[in-house]
Amino acid sequence: MSPEEVVTRLRAAGCVFAEDEAELILSTAATPGEVAAMVGRRAEGYPLEQVVGWAEFCGLRVRIGPGVFVPRRRTEFLVRQAAKLVPSPGVILDLCCGSGALGKALVSLTGGELHAADVEPAAVACARENLAGNVYEGDLFDPLPEHLRTRVDVLLANVPYVPTADIGFLPQEAREHEPLVTLDGGPDGLDVLRRVTAEAPRWLAPGGHLLFETGERQAEAARAVVEAAGLRGQVLRSAEFHATVIVGVKE
């Protein structure tokens, strides 16, 4: 397929940035057959990052496999805030890690001992390609080694926070090609957050920080959940990234 044919096919499939996507596909594919396969998958609605096999996050190339949550640019705000809080040396936990993008980016900025965990086997396999060791498979804190208790300096929890009733309003590529468990946060979007905050104090070091992203309309409720777990809560907002982050501190 010529570049013009790729653009035409993508534009016909509804890709708003067809030219940019065509350039990315053509620069990634190794053979004409791969070009055709990638264009076909994108036209079927698969996320571009899953199609080409990687995403850019905080300036890094992160491997993204089929059925793995695609890191959003707004989440770079969370990583940048976390980078201000990691001591040297520090212990970092990337919980609900997906591809491992957050942990990978944070360690690239600060160094430190990184651990990551996710419940989705496909995500764990992907994270093990992106991260050097210490990736565990299981539900939240369940698979973590006991020696991490009270040692975690910064806990990133990229929990799902979309209310169940709002899932249908997400873009089609997310609804159909990313695991529901990475999107659905329960009736008010805070179900997984409640589970994380209930356990977080047992894993955080004194002065340790829990950080997670949430929706703007949930910010105060999310901070209340953090404070109910005995952590000091703070809401951070970024107009640049259109992001809202909650920070909980173990005092």
Side-chain angles (χ1 to χ4, degrees):
M1 301 176 70
S2 69
E4 293 76 15
E5 288 172 326
V6 173
V7 170
T8 299
R9 179 77 184 280
L10 294 176
R11 187 177 290 124
C15 298
V16 177
F17 303 103
E19 290 81 2
D20 294 337
E21 294 193 10
E23 182 178 352
L24 189 59
I25 288 173
L26 290 165
S27 66
T28 300
T31 66
E34 284 189 6
V35 171
M38 287 183 181
V39 171
R41 283 170 56 82
R42 183 60 179 139
E44 291 171 5
Y46 285 86
L48 177 64
E49 295 82 358
Q50 291 181 7
V51 169
V52 298
W54 61 275
E56 182 178 333
F57 186 77
C58 288
L60 301 175
R61 181 176 286 205
V62 179
R63 165 82 174 126
I64 303 293
V68 175
F69 181 81
V70 177
R72 277 43 168 179
R73 181 177 180 273
R74 64 174 175 267
T75 309
E76 294 186 12
F77 177 62
L78 187 156
V79 172
R80 296 181 189 281
Q81 297 308 305
K84 303 174 184 178
L85 304 171
V86 178
S88 181
V91 177
I92 299 165
L93 174 58
D94 184 0
L95 202 63
C96 305
C97 70
S99 64
L102 277 66
K104 181 182 179 74
L106 184 54
V107 166
S108 76
L109 293 171
T110 67
E113 176 187 337
L114 174 64
H115 298 261
D118 200 284
V119 72
E120 284 284 308
V124 171
C126 191
R128 285 174 175 160
E129 293 187 44
N130 287 315
L131 306 176
N134 299 328
V135 180
Y136 314 101
E137 181 179 336
D139 185 39
L140 298 181
F141 299 94
D142 287 352
L144 300 180
E146 284 295 317
H147 69 78
L148 281 182
R149 284 187 184 271
T150 71
R151 290 188 56 232
V152 176
D153 297 300
V154 171
L155 196 172
L156 303 175
N158 200 18
V159 297
Y161 59 85
V162 180
T164 303
D166 292 348
I167 293 293
F169 298 107
L170 293 176
Q172 181 180 359
E173 62 185 48
R175 296 196 317 267
E176 295 186 359
H177 301 293
E178 292 181 317
L180 184 61
V181 70
T182 68
L183 304 171
D184 191 344
D188 64 353
L190 303 179
D191 279 3
V192 182
L193 169 61
R194 291 187 180 92
R195 295 180 57 209
V196 169
T197 54
E199 290 287 328
R202 300 182 179 91
W203 297 86
L204 289 173
H209 293 78
L210 163 69
L211 298 94
F212 60 89
E213 189 177 87
T214 191
E216 172 56 29
R217 66 180 180 177
Q218 301 158 308
E220 292 307 320
R223 175 162 60 179
V225 170
V226 166
E227 293 177 345
L231 304 175
R232 176 167 52 87
Q234 180 183 12
V235 180
L236 304 176
R237 297 176 173 88
S238 170
E240 177 187 357
F241 289 94
H242 304 287
T244 302
V245 165
I246 310 297
V247 180
V249 185
K250 180 180 178 180
E251 297 180 312

